[in-house]
Amino acid sequence: MAEPILDIRNLNKSFGALKATDNVSLDLRPGEIHALIGPNGAGKSTLIHQIAGSLRPGSGTIRFLGRDIGALGVPERTRLGLGRTFQISSLAPDYSALRNVMLAVQARQGTSFRFVKAVMRDRSLRDPALEALERVGLAERAHVSAAELSHGERRQLEIAIALALGSKAFLLDEPMAGMGPEGSKALTTFLDGLRAEAPILLVEHDMDAVFALADRISVLVYGRVIATGTVEEIRHNPDVRQAYLGEEG
Amino acid sequence: MMGNPRETILNLALVLLLAAIPLVATGMGEPFYVTLATRMAILALAAVGLNFLLGLGGLVSFGHAAFFGIGGYVAGIAATHAFNAEPLLFGLPGTNQMIVIWLAAVLLCGLAALAIGVISLRTSGVYFIMITLAFAQMIYYFAISWPAYGGEDGLSIYVRNGFPGVNTLNGLHFFYLCFGLLLAALAVFSVLRNSRFGAALEASRQNQQRLAAVGIAPFRVKLVAFAISGMITGLAGALFADLNRFVSPSMLSWHMSGELIVLIILGGTGRLFGPVAGAMVYVLFEFYLGGVTERWQFFLGLILLGVVLFARGGVVGLIAGKARHG
Ligand SMILES: Nc1ncnc2c1ncn2[C@@H]1O[C@H](COP(=O)(O)OP(=O)(O)O)[C@@H](O)[C@H]1O
Ligand SMILES: [Mg+2]
């Protein structure tokens, strides 16, 4: 078995009396899509936040590329190669789609403390940014401000940013939410190919997408992983059927 | 990118107008208006500094008087020591050379801004406003209680400091010196805004979470912006002291900080020429309304209220429309 890219051990996080993350262990291996499913409020986003560094875990370890990243902040983790998207899109609203991605390109290059050259004429920023937009199918909307993009387009833009960062692992928090059947289908195809570039920890409610994409699935209920396994194993797991899939029949 | 033709025309008009006022005034034998225009240019310069932080970075510093005043005191103290031929620091003499004074003011304000920024940038929102105010007030009270340099009464500059090749005692010449620095600062502002650093700074205003998520630490970006901002405002302070040939703690007071914020809101927050438009309107108001009624600031308040409620983009926004970000 290949060494995992991302390895989470015994993670705990409480909000007051609420255990949002309850002794969670899971890993992400090269080339795989590991889906994280569970009902609303199960703690999926909270887990993503802790991996990305925007929330501090109560206890437990997170290793990324063999390195304990628990003490690092969000920017450092991104620079190491953790590319995340937010469940609720988080973009620079005044900036065009293109400038949002260009910001990611300059961040990746580590050139944000350059003060003279104008960014808009800078092909070393524009070209990679346009390429990332093209990959997610947003190239025609490059010059529309993020605030004016549709909900689904903003989800795509978030992914384009993660691509432009050259991420070594993707943490995607409900990328299909609000996308419509067409968009979901296109994104499913896209993510299917993306896993060869870097593994994906995919939080998603769209079960068609999850069953189509996932190499492994972990089921989170009340902050706890109640099962991890292949699509078939999860489909037939009685605990999962009762606790979660049962709701959908 | 900033290809808004109406804004370009407006900016050009403001430059020409401000450049022309002292010429016309001199032609009509009204030197007072030269002083008025110089005041506009210097306040605009100070506001360009704040606009960098507030307009691009979204950081409302209510303590920029600290830099304005430090710049002023650098000019006053250097000139006093030069005048009295007393050594200033470590055996170094004072100076009446503006270039040296400007460099010292900019350097000192940059250091002061780093020190103040390191602490205040750990907060945000109202706390940031209050902590920058607190720092400025500390310096204000320090100046008041420092008898060596005039304390509450301030410090006079007996002869305006000099600049090679320019007769700074001539109001017109001094105006064009200040005007030139204003244009230079506007050019710096524009270049910085369009640069990678400018992009990071603007992104930190729009969405810090996003900035951090692409791997740029917002704190460092804001700290550097704070230092640049303080340096520009400090330079204006040195000029202001030379304009009035006087520096006093009032340059450090919170009124001054508030005035700079008002200028920017009046002119257009984050717009390149917002501070210029704001300073021109403000100084005109101060002069004409101030001549009519003691309570001119009440009317200024009304206008400000109108701007905030109905014309968020200030003068520049009203005439040139919304800003475009490419
Ligand atoms: N910052 C917070 N403070 C307090 N409670 C929170 C916070 N964030 C999330 N929670 C709670 O933690 C639980 C898990 O939330 P979340 O991770 O968003 O769930 P999911 O993404 O699986 O829908 C929910 O009950 C939510 O209300
Ligand atoms: Mg969630």
Side-chain angles (χ1 to χ4, degrees):
Chain A
M1 188 182 85
E3 182 84 356
I5 302 264
L6 181 67
D7 194 7
I8 295 155
R9 291 282 153 240
N10 310 108
L11 212 62
N12 288 282
K13 176 77 191 176
S14 300
F15 297 115
L18 176 79
K19 286 221 85 170
T21 307
D22 189 353
N23 204 35
V24 168
S25 297
L26 56 83
D27 63 13
L28 185 64
R29 298 169 194 159
E32 79 166 342
I33 294 182
H34 189 156
L36 185 63
I37 64 173
N40 269 326
K44 304 180 296 295
S45 295
T46 301
L47 187 61
I48 297 285
H49 276 294
Q50 291 170 84
I51 301 170
S54 39
L55 262 183
R56 295 269 155 202
S59 67
T61 58
I62 304 171
R63 299 181 73 80
F64 179 58
L65 301 171
R67 173 172 172 189
D68 187 343
I69 58 169
L72 304 181
V74 173
E76 289 106 326
R77 293 187 199 197
T78 303
R79 290 201 294 272
L80 278 182
L82 273 176
R84 63 96 64 102
T85 65
F86 293 87
Q87 180 176 356
I88 297 162
S89 299
S90 182
L91 299 158
D94 300 345
Y95 274 180
S96 64
L98 181 64
R99 289 209 70 178
N100 269 277
V101 186
M102 283 167 62
L103 186 73
V105 176
Q106 78 175 46
R108 180 186 185 182
Q109 296 173 352
T111 54
S112 291
F113 287 87
R114 292 195 185 163
F115 300 88
V116 177
K117 192 169 180 186
V119 290
M120 290 318 282
R121 278 183 296 257
D122 192 336
R123 307 210 51 179
S124 71
L125 292 179
R126 284 182 76 107
D127 291 353
L130 271 172
E131 191 192 312
L133 285 174
E134 237 154 60
R135 285 186 67 191
V136 301
L138 214 52
E140 315 90 83
R141 305 282 281 164
H143 298 287
V144 179
S145 73
E148 286 164 40
L149 292 175
S150 75
H151 187 74
E153 287 169 336
R154 271 181 240 161
R155 317 290 313 158
Q156 287 168 278
L157 179 52
E158 290 238 341
I159 293 172
I161 291 172
L163 290 176
L165 288 171
S167 305
K168 299 193 178 79
F170 294 102
L171 312 169
L172 308 184
D173 197 351
E174 301 198 21
M176 319 246 171
M179 240 186 192
E182 285 295 302
S184 295
K185 227 180 236 157
L187 188 56
T188 303
T189 311
F190 180 75
L191 294 182
D192 196 18
L194 185 61
R195 81 179 96 195
E197 206 165 302
I200 304 169
L201 183 62
L202 175 68
V203 173
E204 190 46 66
H205 273 304
D206 181 339
M207 283 305 144
D208 292 338
V210 167
F211 288 143
L213 287 171
D215 298 294
R216 288 190 297 156
I217 300 175
S218 289
V219 184
L220 203 64
V221 178
Y222 294 120
R224 195 178 318 199
V225 177
I226 62 164
T228 295
T230 63
V231 172
E232 281 312 299
E233 284 164 3
I234 294 299
R235 269 188 204 273
H236 298 112
N237 183 310
D239 292 341
V240 175
R241 295 180 73 95
Q242 191 197 351
Y244 181 45
L245 295 177
E247 299 172 355
E248 299 181 357
Chain B
M1 170 182 60
M2 304 290 160
N4 179 345
R6 279 169 71 174
E7 187 163 351
T8 310
I9 293 170
L10 173 67
N11 295 350
L12 215 60
L14 287 170
V15 168
L16 292 177
L17 185 63
L18 184 54
I21 295 174
L23 275 184
V24 174
T26 305
M28 297 189 341
E30 295 271 12
F32 177 72
Y33 291 94
V34 180
T35 306
L36 216 59
T38 312
R39 193 177 160 80
M40 287 173 179
I42 294 172
L43 288 178
L45 177 62
V48 168
L50 181 58
N51 196 32
F52 189 66
L53 190 72
L54 193 159
L56 301 189
L59 293 161
V60 184
S61 163
F62 198 13
H64 258 47
F67 310 118
F68 197 63
I70 288 174
Y73 271 96
V74 167
I77 291 170
T80 302
H81 281 265
F83 190 75
N84 299 333
E86 290 165 351
L88 177 54
L89 261 186
F90 317 119
L92 283 171
T95 178
N96 56 14
Q97 281 306 309
M98 284 188 185
I99 293 186
V100 180
I101 287 168
W102 295 346
L103 281 175
V106 165
L107 200 73
L108 205 61
C109 286
L111 291 176
L114 283 178
I116 295 174
V118 157
I119 295 168
S120 50
L121 288 168
R122 297 187 188 280
T123 66
S124 60
V126 169
Y127 297 97
F128 179 77
I129 296 176
M130 286 302 137
I131 200 163
T132 47
L133 170 65
F135 274 113
Q137 288 300 99
M138 277 167 53
I139 299 173
Y140 170 76
Y141 284 112
F142 178 76
I144 280 192
S145 58
W146 198 18
Y149 296 114
E152 214 166 345
D153 299 331
L155 192 59
S156 287
I157 298 173
Y158 292 103
V159 181
R160 187 175 284 158
N161 293 301
F163 189 91
V166 176
N167 176 10
T168 56
L169 302 182
N170 176 316
L172 201 58
H173 289 198
F174 182 62
F175 168 81
Y176 283 109
L177 204 56
C178 298
F179 184 68
L181 284 178
L182 171 62
L183 294 185
L186 288 168
V188 167
F189 181 99
S190 170
V191 167
L192 287 177
R193 179 177 63 183
N194 295 335
S195 73
R196 292 174 191 223
F197 179 77
L201 181 59
E202 288 195 310
S204 88
R205 178 196 73 228
Q206 296 174 54
N207 186 346
Q208 284 203 48
Q209 178 177 249
R210 173 39 74 195
L211 188 66
V214 297
I216 302 171
F219 180 79
R220 284 178 58 200
V221 172
K222 292 190 286 188
L223 185 60
V224 171
F226 199 84
I228 294 172
S229 170
M231 284 152 72
I232 297 174
T233 301
L235 176 63
L239 294 173
F240 198 68
D242 258 327
L243 171 67
N244 303 321
R245 274 175 274 162
F246 178 65
V247 49
S248 78
S250 73
M251 273 181 78
L252 289 158
S253 81
W254 66 269
H255 300 92
M256 191 63 230
S257 299
E259 214 171 294
L260 293 178
I261 296 175
V262 167
L263 286 188
I264 289 175
I265 294 174
L266 269 182
T269 312
R271 307 303 281 266
L272 178 59
F273 273 73
V276 181
M280 291 174 75
V281 171
Y282 185 88
V283 172
L284 278 181
F285 253 81
E286 187 182 38
F287 176 61
Y288 283 109
L289 271 182
V292 176
T293 160
E294 294 265 299
R295 293 178 197 81
W296 71 276
Q297 286 188 322
F298 169 78
F299 294 99
L300 182 75
L302 281 185
I303 289 179
L304 204 60
L305 205 64
V307 168
V308 171
L309 289 179
F310 305 112
R312 287 303 269 284
V315 173
V316 176
L318 204 60
I319 297 175
K322 274 188 70 172
R324 275 189 260 162
H325 293 272

